Amino acid sequence: MSPAFDPRPWGATDLSPIYPNHRFDEKIGESWLTGDDGKVANGPLRGKSLAALSTQYGRDFTGEAANDSSRFPLLIKFLFPHEKLSLQVHPDDEAARRAGQPWGKTECWYVAHAKPGAQIALGLQPGVTHAQFEDAIHQQRAEELLNWINVFPGEMIYVAGGTVHTLGPGSIMVETQQQSDTTYRLYDYGRPRELHLKEGLAALKEKVASGKVIRPAPTTVNSTKNRRSMLVASPFFVVEMFELKEPQDFPTRDESGKSSVQILVALEGCAVIEARGAEPVTLAKGDAVVVPASMGEFQMRPQWTVEFLKASLPGMALPEPATRI
């Protein structure tokens, strides 16, 4: 995929922790890797958008686990907060449908980098009501009513739809989310951007399942030097981390037997991806590769070593993950 660099007032000009030698004159907040407008960077489909490919190929591309086979299901991006984001909330599926949208925006953040003291705000403090939070917004003290937590590299944070949240400076996140860009800004530190108090407060939940994901220890794969970590399994996405030192095969079907498009995002190192009938593709730090569900199987061949995230859709009904603040 060709990354799309999106300017934001809270972004950074130096993206070198992920993109070496990438410096910008304007502040870049996000690097979009997938999504409706994401463009293919190589091969016979070069230049085509994921939206066009989903419409053209349907379940051959998105997979049997997709709710809507004609729309690419997951939006993945890097976030580069250099200043605080707005206090914001995304609707869950129920709130989105009330607003005439097909689904909401539940997301998760993998902490790729974090400086000492880096923080996020996630949800209201226990006992805080809608009315109290609305009053605090008008009094410009909304931050005081949020759960502020320190974040560290390697953590996964689950952000259920309906959770008021923000990112502080000092971290780099890999965000995986439902394919929606609906954001209701509730407070923006005086920046001249539109707020959405009515819609945001209607979507906001006082109690949510958001927090740091409690996950099992990494496991070795097939008695090799390769390691696998389940970062988050939810009703909306499954995100795993792999550290490969030897070649490994991957199916595009899960244990349920349903197929899903696979999205690979490299955090360190480099690998070559091979599949029957396709030209080999290189996956290097900061890159994303989309593997159509119909490929059935593909192989990752590390060039010395590679560390990457793999995101897909669950083929079976899953509960929300266990979390802690």
Side-chain angles (χ1 to χ4, degrees):
M1 301 301 299
S2 297
F5 297 102
D6 189 18
R8 298 293 171 100
W10 44 263
T13 56
D14 180 9
L15 310 187
S16 58
I18 300 298
Y19 300 103
N21 303 317
H22 273 61
R23 290 181 177 271
F24 294 81
D25 293 331
E26 57 185 344
K27 296 178 179 179
I28 301 299
E30 303 177 348
S31 170
W32 289 43
L33 304 177
T34 67
D36 284 339
D37 297 327
K39 297 292 193 300
V40 178
N42 69 299
L45 301 178
R46 181 175 181 175
K48 289 199 171 187
S49 71
L50 293 179
L53 295 177
S54 300
T55 300
Q56 181 176 355
Y57 295 105
R59 296 207 181 278
D60 285 342
F61 186 55
T62 58
E64 297 156 350
N67 290 331
D68 182 350
S69 62
S70 65
R71 188 174 183 198
F72 196 79
L74 296 177
L75 176 55
I76 299 184
K77 49 190 170 181
F78 282 103
L79 305 178
F80 300 94
H82 188 65
E83 300 174 18
K84 290 177 182 177
L85 278 67
S86 63
L87 300 190
Q88 57 191 249
V89 64
H90 311 304
D92 63 8
D93 284 355
E94 183 180 351
R97 284 191 286 267
R98 288 199 303 265
Q101 301 167 23
W103 51 67
K105 183 179 174 181
T106 288
E107 58 193 14
C108 65
W109 303 323
Y110 176 76
V111 186
H113 292 269
K115 296 179 180 179
Q119 288 189 319
I120 64 171
L122 201 62
L124 299 174
Q125 292 180 9
V128 175
T129 66
H130 272 81
Q132 290 171 330
F133 186 62
E134 183 175 5
D135 287 343
I137 291 173
H138 295 305
Q139 296 169 19
Q140 299 186 4
R141 58 178 190 86
E143 284 188 325
E144 300 173 11
L145 303 187
L146 302 182
N147 289 308
W148 285 92
I149 56 177
N150 294 325
V151 293
F152 302 92
E155 293 183 319
M156 174 62 85
I157 294 97
Y158 183 69
V159 190
T163 305
V164 59
H165 62 274
T166 187
L167 292 173
S171 65
I172 297 176
M173 304 288 192
V174 183
E175 180 176 276
T176 302
Q177 59 168 83
Q178 291 176 276
Q179 171 69 289
S180 167
D181 198 35
T182 302
T183 297
Y184 299 136
R185 282 190 292 269
L186 301 173
Y187 177 68
D188 201 23
Y189 304 96
R191 299 179 184 123
R193 297 193 295 175
E194 181 183 5
L195 298 179
H196 316 92
L197 286 182
K198 180 180 178 181
E199 300 90 338
L201 289 170
L204 186 148
K205 294 181 176 181
E206 295 176 4
K207 296 181 180 180
V208 291
S210 302
K212 294 183 178 182
V213 178
I214 301 170
R215 64 178 199 259
T219 59
T220 57
V221 181
N222 298 331
S223 300
T224 70
K225 298 178 181 179
N226 297 340
R227 289 163 61 86
R228 168 185 177 267
S229 299
M230 173 57 72
L231 298 181
V232 61
S234 80
F236 312 101
F237 40 69
V238 174
V239 182
E240 303 165 271
M241 168 172 276
F242 289 86
E243 300 172 65
L244 303 188
K245 295 183 178 180
E246 299 177 355
Q248 183 172 325
D249 294 332
F250 292 87
T252 60
R253 295 182 183 274
D254 66 8
E255 294 82 357
S256 73
K258 288 186 177 180
S259 63
S260 168
V261 64
Q262 308 285 309
I263 306 167
L264 316 172
V265 179
L267 300 177
E268 296 289 347
C270 180
V272 174
I273 305 173
E274 298 175 326
R276 182 178 301 176
E279 291 292 324
V281 175
T282 299
L283 178 73
K285 184 176 182 177
D287 289 342
V289 167
V290 172
V291 181
S294 61
M295 296 303 295
E297 187 176 84
F298 60 97
Q299 184 181 76
M300 296 280 290
R301 185 160 47 83
Q303 305 301 287
W304 300 107
T305 184
V306 65
E307 181 179 301
F308 66 96
L309 304 182
K310 184 173 79 72
S312 59
L313 299 173
M316 64 189 82
L318 296 176
E320 291 190 296
T323 60
R324 59 180 175 83
I325 291 292

